[in-house]
Amino acid sequence: MIFENAIIGAGASGMLCACILNNSDTVIIEHNETVAKKVAISGGGKCNVTNKFMSPSHFLGDKNFIQKALSKFDEKDLLELLKQNGITPKLNPKIVKGTFFCNSSKEILDFFLKNSTKCKKYFNTSVIDVDFDDVYTIKTSKGIIKSKNLIVASGGLSYQTLGSSDIGFLIAKRFNHPIKTLNPALVGFTVQKDQFWFKELSGLSLDVKISVKGKLIEGSLLFAHKGISGPAVLSSSLYWDKGSLSIDFMPKINITKFLHTRQNISNALPLPKRFIVSFLSSIGLEDKQLNTLSKDEIERLSSIHDYIFAPAGNFGYTKAEVTKGGVDTSYIDENMQSTLQKGLYFIGEVLDVTGELGGYNIQWAFTSGYVCAKELKRNSQ
Ligand SMILES: Cc1cc2nc3c(=O)[nH]c(=O)nc-3n(C[C@H](O)[C@H](O)[C@H](O)COP(=O)(O)OP(=O)(O)OC[C@H]3O[C@@H](n4cnc5c(N)ncnc54)[C@H](O)[C@@H]3O)c2cc1C
């Protein structure tokens, strides 16, 4: 039998695509035993599906390409589709502005299963290789599957324990698609010797503003055993590759407000004492009365608003929520089809489109999956 559509990967993008198609001409090939394992644990088990502030400015990748796709299926369309299925994610701006969370990720998994009953599903089946000769020949761990169209929805490289593999990038290369450099993203930073004092503060969290490659990111920073993490750091990792970034540890009040007080620095500043003690020691400043500071000391203390350092690296793919880089979208049309190879589509994280923390990546998976399914439907008519 030759299928009309073969989708590699039953994750967020592949399943949304399958739900829109929902026909017996479509097969989904997934090497896990069930659908969307990443979605299951996303948002701490409550899947942060989208964001009120959806726009290309929150993504790395070709803004024009992202905008065109979002114009066909954005956060409002997604929330409406979920509503029609009895799911009403709630706005929860506590950690990241504009985020919508489900009551439980299971709502999304059930939605996937309920709306894709007509599609054929091969679980516990790994795609090993793909060839093309009039139709696609997909070599899997359980034999050959043939299909007219091939939809690569196999995601990125992070969290291999949940089923990630490099098959999407191998298929892209096979059909001469350039790949933009891959790197872990939405991940914590490791630090160099000068910032080892961060590690002493492990477990402490602060609201900060991070400036990285011209982007300003607000949110909480968590000092960790290996370096720094937390929502603001994860989003910063999207924009950082090498070199320095700057942290404002006290973004809401300017230090100049306190310079005339007779109190010691650690008593006056509205920050945890543990942090101030370590910070002062890192800049070689004694904890003394603020009104006695010299010009040079004030300058050093002011670095609390602009602490510049270069991370050593990041925590790697085992901890990264996503992979940045991916299949170059210069050779993908606005319906997610390859411009180099007919009938070949790429959707989701495998593409060179990566969002900040806050529901942007699942929205992208759904947007690209939706756009692709609509195109496949149009072509089959
Ligand atoms: C811990 C964690 C929490 C996250 N939380 C959020 C969140 O709350 N909000 C948000 O927007 N984003 C979140 N993300 C990111 C988001 O989950 C992903 O960006 C999104 O799932 C990508 O969708 P996708 O369909 O491209 O890939 P995936 O959802 O990763 O799906 C790819 C599928 O392909 C399968 N596959 C891979 N290789 C093969 C092969 N060779 N053969 C067969 N099958 C294969 C995989 O098993 C997988 O099921 C989180 C990620 C992680 C790791």
Side-chain angles (χ1 to χ4, degrees), residues 6-36:
I7 303 175
I8 302 180
S13 61
M15 284 314 295
L16 201 280
C17 183
C19 289
I20 303 300
L21 291 168
N22 199 17
N23 60 42
S24 56
D25 292 334
T26 298
V27 59
I28 308 159
I29 312 161
E30 166 60 55
H31 68 188
N32 285 331
E33 70 288 3
T34 185
V35 297

Side-chain angles (χ1 to χ4, degrees), residues 8-15 29-32 34-39 41-44 46-50 101 125-128 153-156 158-159 162-168 186 319-322 347-350 356 358-363 365:
I8 302 180
S13 61
M15 284 314 295
I29 312 161
E30 166 60 55
H31 68 188
N32 285 331
T34 185
V35 297
K37 279 197 154 181
K38 248 181 216 174
V39 173
I41 60 152
S42 67
K46 291 189 167 202
C47 187
N48 171 200
V49 273
T50 189
F101 281 82
T125 308
S126 301
V127 173
I128 299 161
S154 52
S158 62
Y159 267 74
L162 298 178
S164 311
S165 83
D166 61 356
I167 191 69
L186 302 193
K319 300 273 185 221
E321 289 202 2
V322 292
I347 55 177
E349 204 181 304
V350 73
E356 290 175 6
Y360 295 99
N361 289 297
I362 288 191
Q363 174 73 51

Side-chain angles (χ1 to χ4, degrees), residues 57-179:
S57 65
H58 295 285
F59 289 86
L60 268 191
D62 179 340
K63 308 281 184 232
N64 213 5
F65 177 78
I66 299 167
Q67 179 55 47
K68 274 189 189 154
L70 283 174
S71 72
K72 294 176 187 169
F73 190 77
D74 65 8
E75 79 287 2
K76 292 183 201 79
D77 300 314
L78 173 58
L79 290 170
E80 182 53 36
L81 176 66
L82 294 177
K83 193 173 158 199
Q84 286 163 12
N85 283 272
I87 305 167
T88 47
K90 308 267 176 330
L91 198 55
N92 180 355
K94 265 192 216 147
I95 300 175
V96 180
K97 278 188 206 160
T99 49
F100 280 92
F101 281 82
C102 296
N103 290 323
S104 157
S105 301
K106 192 169 175 299
E107 292 177 329
I108 303 293
L109 305 185
D110 291 346
F111 160 80
F112 285 156
L113 291 170
K114 194 179 102 195
N115 288 285
S116 62
T117 47
K118 291 187 186 153
C119 300
K120 178 97 189 140
K121 298 186 187 77
Y122 290 122
F123 289 119
N124 296 309
T125 308
S126 301
V127 173
I128 299 161
D129 204 354
V130 170
D131 225 329
F132 180 78
D133 184 6
D134 276 344
V135 296
Y136 290 93
T137 301
I138 305 156
K139 191 177 162 204
T140 79
S141 53
K142 296 215 174 134
I144 299 289
I145 296 169
K146 287 185 184 270
S147 177
K148 222 173 115 191
N149 298 307
L150 183 70
I151 300 99
V152 181
S154 52
L157 300 175
S158 62
Y159 267 74
Q160 265 188 24
T161 46
L162 298 178
S164 311
S165 83
D166 61 356
I167 191 69
F169 307 113
L170 294 178
I171 296 171
K173 277 189 205 147
R174 168 144 303 213
F175 294 104
N176 301 314
H177 273 273
I179 314 259

Side-chain angles (χ1 to χ4, degrees), residues 60-62 180 324-329 348-354:
L60 268 191
D62 179 340
K180 290 278 179 83
K324 66 178 169 181
V327 176
D328 188 342
T329 54
E349 204 181 304
V350 73
L351 286 166
D352 176 30
V353 175
T354 318

Side-chain angles (χ1 to χ4, degrees), residues 211-251:
S211 166
V212 52
K213 309 274 168 190
K215 273 262 171 190
L216 265 185
I217 293 157
E218 288 175 63
S220 79
L221 172 153
L222 176 71
F223 290 98
H225 181 59
K226 281 166 110 185
I228 47 171
S229 185
V233 173
L234 299 199
S235 279
S236 304
S237 71
L238 193 60
Y239 302 105
W240 182 84
D241 43 17
K242 54 180 184 296
S244 14
L245 50 83
S246 153
I247 303 180
D248 183 345
F249 286 114
M250 203 171 63

